[in-house]
Amino acid sequence: MRTLLLSSVMVSAVLAVPGRARTIDHVALAREGAGGQHDVRIENGGASSGGLGQRALRIEAAVDGGWRGGAIAFRIEVDPVKPTFFTSRLWGGEAVDGNLTLICGGKQVGDRLLSDYDQLDYGAKHPPFPGAFFYRTYRLPDAVTKGRSTIDCAIEASGPIFSYANDFKKFQLAMSTPSRGLYDLFTHDDPWLDITGLPDGTVTTPTKRSGEGKIASGTPGSEVLGKIRARIEGTVNGLLNAQRPLGQHEIAFLAHFRMKTWTKLARDPRVLATIVKGLDDYAAAYAKNPDLVKFDKATWNPDWFGFGPLGEALTTDPAAFEPLLDQSIAWKDGGTTTRRAALTQMLLASREWLRTHRRFYTNQSMIVDCWGIYYANRGLAIVAPDKAMPEDKARRYLYEAIGIEEWRGDDLPDGGHSYDAGGPDGTKAQPYKVAKGYHLVTRKGLTRELGYVGNYGEVGNWVAAIYNATRPAPGQPGDPKIRAQLAKIAAARGYFRYPTADDDGFAAMRNMADIGWRDLKAPGEIAYVQVAHAGASSPFQAAVLTADPRLVGYAQQMVQDNQLWPELEKAVAAPGFRQAYGLLDIIDDVQAMTAMPARPERLPMTAGQPDFAFADAEDGVVAIKRGDERFYASLWWRGNRGVSKLGRVWLSGPRGNRIATVPVATGFVPSGLFWTRPDKLVLLKDASFNKDYGLSLAEAGERLPLAQPPEGIALTPGEDSIYAGRGENHILSYAGYTIAVNMSDTKPFLFTVPRHQGQELVSGQTMEAGTQVEMAPRTTVVFFDPQIAAPTP
């Protein structure tokens, strides 16, 4: 009989207890200097002025132009029996391009890419907490502390990494600038560190950028829109005069540009002629190499798009292409065929190949299903209607990609479904088998890319593109179900915008990335409805397409904060064709927003908005506003290979600023399988990186149990899986918050209410401490005890 490893009677063992937290040791790096009681040693670095006038130790750029700058070594006390937490105190007002790695006992602690045990610091593109210090906390692996009272450690500085590279020299980049300043280091026996007496400052209350905060057509609006128009027209002219075959996205870009009414260039006959020549060039290339449908070098991620962008181009104006389809063009072996016949073969090949090579991660599935399958099919409906799927069958892929219907994976020859992704021919990149009934978007509207993700969870632009793909013709309404799902997804992301200052010190809202599974660089970008300058779309796109009152209000908040024009200035200044493509709808969207009536809705985390607790049990994530404090937690944190019993939290407010990886009590049914952490410094890369870095991994050899997966799912230890580390229930206690999430789809969970004051925060119901609550499947409860982790005097 299988047993549940956590029952309600064990809950009290994981709750914080007043007075329990104990600081084991404190190293005041810059004040102590070299030597001292902690035997501090500095390699290629020294003390300099830092935040609030305090001294900081910095490691200088690599002298030889290499990837490693130097290190700061020290000796620190730990608990030989109980878990020990390690915290670094850092200045939140600086942006740093480079990493800090903790090395203890000569071994690296944490993965350099993405893991439950993280690196000490990944740097930041933007100041994370302007005007104040912040604390990064990690649980040290038992292998580092067990049986020891002191350990010798070092913090090594290195250059940034390029996570997509598989070659070490391309992965680990040079350290060309000094490291982030290091101030204090702590060891302690509770994840909440007592910072009483430390001068930490407070996060700067930013002022609104000067200006009227309107979408008026005057300065600077008209100037920025003029720059956007000039950038787009310049890109178009460059393509019209290009002395090379165009790429698919360039062809689709020109096709959409033809439909714009704000530019005379759209009516230039050369635009259509260039599009048609581009189609013919692709036909000739495909005739020579049919594998082009999978591996087109001119298309980013070609095995996701197939020939979908060509089908997309046709859908923009079928009447314009119809008279040209039966013209003769060059084809195989010096022969000819009709343009219609060539496009039919190409679009059919795209649709059929990608039906058996879908992707599991939500954003990737959206791309494959929209372009490689759906747009290819819509193109077929224009050139060869008898070869096209009926619209309802083709639209099914879109419904699956955005979570309206269950995800069925690859299509099988017999008409069934694999509930897996990547195909049977050795090209599978992500062997994700899921149970029937699995959705790629949660019921609350967040993507399910294993757990909560920051940057990659920003799929509003992809869902908007999917909605636009279903329009029978430009300007006509698309699928109402997809439109409603777009509104839900965009609104759910609204809980993950928090107030901060932009890089110039003005009030803005940022996307939460610090608790994201697939996020390295944090904080996230400025975002209200959508990110404005990531080469993706206009910042108002979802608001314009849905006219949802919440999203319109969020868009108007961006205007009111005077962040619209600065963000669009960044967008128009960013280089690259993909960036220019992302500008294409901005002029139309700004005009549409100008005509919309004022709405009172504002992003939930905005100062002055009501307190709330948003929870999504399917992703195991919460977002809480309590007065001036914002708190985010991922209770299921990067557990895609085994049950690690770790979570990630982010807190900012009167009690300071914290980013911490903390213990989580996890209830699960054991499968009997275990995964042993390998000695790989970068788990997702080749083991040869160990030699390049000259280290071994401290947590190597740790055995993680695998949870029992649903019926029909087989787990292989070490293989990425949605089920390997997913518990049925998770409990996290931090900073006075106690959060319990029942992630099961079918089982209730009996939970004992801890000591707290007032109501349960998610439901608003009054629940007395000590009572047992039967939590329904996919539910979360949040309690707060103000006597635990009280504000620093």
Side-chain angles (χ1 to χ4, degrees):
M1 177 181 292
R2 296 178 184 134
T3 57
L4 193 66
L5 295 190
L6 176 69
S7 65
S8 60
V9 296
M10 295 176 63
V11 171
S12 60
V14 300
L15 302 184
V17 178
R20 173 187 169 196
R22 175 176 66 96
T23 298
I24 300 170
D25 204 355
H26 173 201
V27 185
L29 282 171
R31 293 194 300 277
E32 187 170 317
Q37 69 180 90
H38 294 98
D39 192 20
V40 176
R41 286 151 287 151
I42 306 166
E43 176 196 355
N44 187 33
S48 59
S49 180
L52 300 181
Q54 298 181 43
R55 302 288 283 171
L57 281 189
R58 297 182 193 278
I59 301 169
E60 298 300 325
V63 224
D64 57 358
W67 60 266
R68 185 181 182 276
I72 298 172
F74 55 93
R75 180 172 295 126
I76 196 165
E77 295 179 21
V78 296
D79 193 301
V81 179
K82 297 193 297 184
T84 298
F85 296 88
F86 181 91
T87 292
S88 54
R89 179 172 176 256
L90 306 167
W91 176 242
E94 62 181 331
V96 180
D97 191 21
N99 299 337
L100 295 174
T101 303
L102 180 64
I103 299 169
C104 292
K107 294 185 177 182
Q108 173 180 303
V109 177
D111 198 291
R112 293 189 184 239
L113 185 52
L114 293 170
S115 180
D116 48 357
Y117 283 111
D118 243 344
Q119 265 206 128
L120 188 66
D121 187 69
Y122 284 105
K125 294 169 64 177
H126 313 284
F129 298 97
F133 283 90
F134 72 105
Y135 296 80
R136 282 194 177 275
T137 297
Y138 299 91
R139 183 189 186 280
L140 293 175
D142 290 340
V144 169
T145 62
K146 193 171 182 180
R148 299 178 177 90
S149 299
T150 62
I151 54 176
D152 289 318
C153 297
I155 294 175
E156 181 183 82
S158 57
I161 61 172
F162 178 57
S163 59
Y164 295 107
N166 291 315
D167 176 80
F168 180 80
K169 290 182 180 179
K170 295 178 181 177
F171 174 83
Q172 178 59 71
L173 306 178
M175 183 177 175
S176 56
T177 57
S179 75
R180 185 191 292 283
L182 288 158
Y183 295 80
D184 296 86
L185 307 174
F186 306 85
T187 50
H188 41 110
D189 65 0
D190 184 88
W192 179 264
L193 172 70
D194 182 2
I195 59 174
T196 302
L198 286 172
D200 279 341
T202 56
V203 173
T204 304
T205 302
T207 58
K208 192 178 79 169
R209 193 182 296 269
S210 61
E212 295 183 13
K214 297 179 180 178
I215 318 181
S217 57
T219 303
S222 58
E223 292 179 3
V224 177
L225 294 180
K227 290 178 183 178
I228 291 172
R229 182 182 294 107
R231 170 77 183 273
I232 293 170
E233 290 178 341
T235 302
V236 171
N237 278 314
L239 297 177
L240 296 182
N241 296 305
Q243 301 300 309
R244 58 171 175 81
L246 300 188
Q248 289 193 78
H249 293 299
E250 293 172 329
I251 294 168
F253 168 79
L254 289 176
H256 285 292
F257 175 77
R258 282 189 69 244
M259 312 313 294
K260 296 304 178 185
T261 59
W262 41 260
T263 170
K264 293 179 181 179
L265 185 58
R267 294 180 287 281
D268 190 317
R270 292 179 301 159
V271 179
L272 179 59
T274 302
I275 294 169
V276 173
K277 183 181 184 301
L279 297 175
D280 294 350
D281 287 339
Y282 263 98
Y286 177 75
K288 292 179 181 178
N289 178 20
D291 276 348
L292 194 68
V293 69
K294 312 171 190 177
F295 307 116
D296 174 23
K297 292 181 179 180
T299 303
W300 55 82
N301 299 113
D303 55 331
W304 301 359
F305 285 93
F307 286 135
L310 302 184
E312 178 186 10
L314 295 174
T315 65
T316 60
D317 193 1
F321 292 103
E322 180 59 34
L324 310 174
L325 293 177
D326 293 315
Q327 293 176 350
S328 180
I329 63 171
W331 193 236
K332 298 177 182 178
D333 302 322
T336 62
T337 188
T338 64
R339 193 170 284 121
R340 184 189 302 276
L343 288 170
T344 298
Q345 281 197 38
M346 296 164 67
L347 295 171
L348 187 60
S350 176
R351 186 192 72 188
E352 293 306 293
W353 188 70
L354 283 165
R355 282 176 57 207
T356 61
H357 291 78
R358 299 177 74 191
R359 305 288 290 191
F360 172 75
Y361 281 178
T362 312
N363 65 316
Q364 298 175 9
S365 181
M366 290 175 180
I367 295 169
V368 168
D369 295 347
C370 180
W371 277 271
I373 300 175
Y374 184 78
Y375 262 133
N377 191 72
R378 280 208 63 188
L380 280 172
I382 293 168
V383 300
D386 60 316
K387 303 288 187 182
M389 292 180 190
E391 179 64 19
D392 60 336
K393 290 187 178 180
R395 206 164 287 191
R396 183 263 293 180
Y397 297 95
L398 304 183
Y399 290 165
E400 290 184 24
I402 64 174
I404 294 175
E405 293 185 6
E406 67 168 341
W407 186 77
R408 297 173 176 88
D410 294 338
D411 292 345
L412 298 175
D414 64 0
H417 309 286
S418 70
Y419 293 88
D420 200 351
D425 58 359
T427 60
K428 182 181 295 187
Q430 298 172 328
Y432 283 113
K433 183 81 173 178
V434 298
K436 293 182 179 180
Y438 184 87
H439 286 66
L440 293 184
V441 174
T442 70
R443 290 163 178 81
K444 293 289 185 72
L446 296 178
T447 60
R448 293 184 69 179
E449 304 180 19
L450 302 180
Y452 169 82
V453 282
N455 179 46
Y456 285 107
E458 291 292 311
V459 296
N461 59 304
W462 299 122
V463 185
I466 287 172
Y467 172 76
N468 284 330
T470 65
R471 294 179 186 269
Q476 295 185 15
D479 188 308
K481 291 181 183 178
I482 295 175
R483 182 174 178 267
Q485 187 74 343
L486 170 60
K488 176 195 281 190
I489 290 171
R493 294 301 299 189
Y495 291 103
F496 296 87
R497 309 323 191 192
Y498 64 94
T500 184
D502 64 16
D503 293 348
D504 297 317
F506 297 111
M509 304 295 285
R510 283 199 187 278
N511 170 44
M512 168 48 56
D514 287 279
I515 65 165
W517 277 56
R518 295 173 64 197
D519 294 277
L520 285 175
K521 295 297 182 183
E525 300 293 345
I526 290 174
Y528 289 76
V529 179
Q530 290 161 237
V531 176
H533 57 89
S537 62
S538 85
F540 294 159
Q541 189 179 33
V544 169
L545 293 179
T546 65
D548 182 279
R550 296 165 297 179
L551 304 184
V552 172
Y554 301 167
Q556 291 171 346
Q557 180 178 351
M558 182 184 194
V559 176
Q560 188 179 53
D561 284 353
N562 285 324
Q563 286 294 341
L564 173 63
W565 304 120
E567 288 302 291
L568 292 184
E569 285 271 18
K570 295 177 189 175
V572 76
F577 167 75
R578 191 170 179 178
Q579 185 69 24
Y581 203 157
L583 300 172
L584 196 54
D585 292 329
I586 287 178
I587 295 174
D588 294 328
D589 285 355
V590 167
Q591 291 173 349
M593 281 300 303
T594 304
M596 290 187 175
R599 295 293 316 175
E601 290 82 359
R602 292 296 180 263
L603 287 160
M605 288 287 186
T606 305
Q609 292 296 297
D611 289 355
F612 72 89
F614 170 87
D616 190 329
E618 290 178 273
D619 267 355
V621 67
V622 297
I624 300 169
K625 179 182 180 296
R626 195 180 55 81
D628 292 330
E629 182 170 278
R630 279 86 178 172
F631 179 71
Y632 291 99
S634 178
L635 280 77
W636 182 43
W637 168 248
R638 295 180 179 170
N640 48 323
R641 285 181 174 80
V643 180
S644 62
K645 300 181 181 178
L646 293 174
R648 172 61 71 93
V649 298
W650 180 99
L651 179 146
S652 182
R655 297 190 290 166
N657 309 293
R658 318 269 185 138
I659 302 169
T661 303
V662 301
V664 172
T666 303
F668 67 99
V669 177
S671 66
L673 299 173
F674 289 84
W675 172 61
T676 302
R677 294 186 191 270
D679 186 9
K680 292 183 69 177
L681 302 184
V682 186
L683 179 62
L684 300 179
K685 304 298 179 183
D686 192 82
S688 65
F689 280 28
N690 285 39
K691 183 179 178 181
D692 293 310
Y693 281 118
L695 295 167
S696 290
L697 186 68
E699 56 266 31
E702 182 183 358
R703 293 177 81 227
L704 271 62
L706 273 63
Q708 180 65 35
E711 186 176 352
I713 303 295
L715 297 180
T716 301
E719 188 176 273
D720 225 1
S721 171
I722 189 78
Y723 302 109
R726 185 183 179 90
E728 293 189 335
N729 45 75
H730 302 253
I731 304 171
L732 180 151
S733 294
Y734 183 80
Y737 295 100
T738 298
I739 306 163
V741 54
N742 184 3
M743 297 179 72
S744 172
D745 288 327
T746 58
K747 299 179 184 177
F749 172 54
L750 198 61
F751 177 71
T752 302
V753 176
R755 189 183 76 179
H756 67 289
Q757 177 176 314
Q759 301 171 321
E760 189 278 315
L761 301 184
V762 176
S763 66
Q765 297 178 6
T766 299
M767 300 181 186
E768 293 186 10
T771 60
Q772 290 190 321
V773 176
E774 186 176 273
M775 295 175 59
R778 298 189 300 271
T779 58
T780 304
V781 292
V782 179
F783 301 93
F784 180 73
D785 183 348
Q787 297 183 51
I788 298 177
T792 302

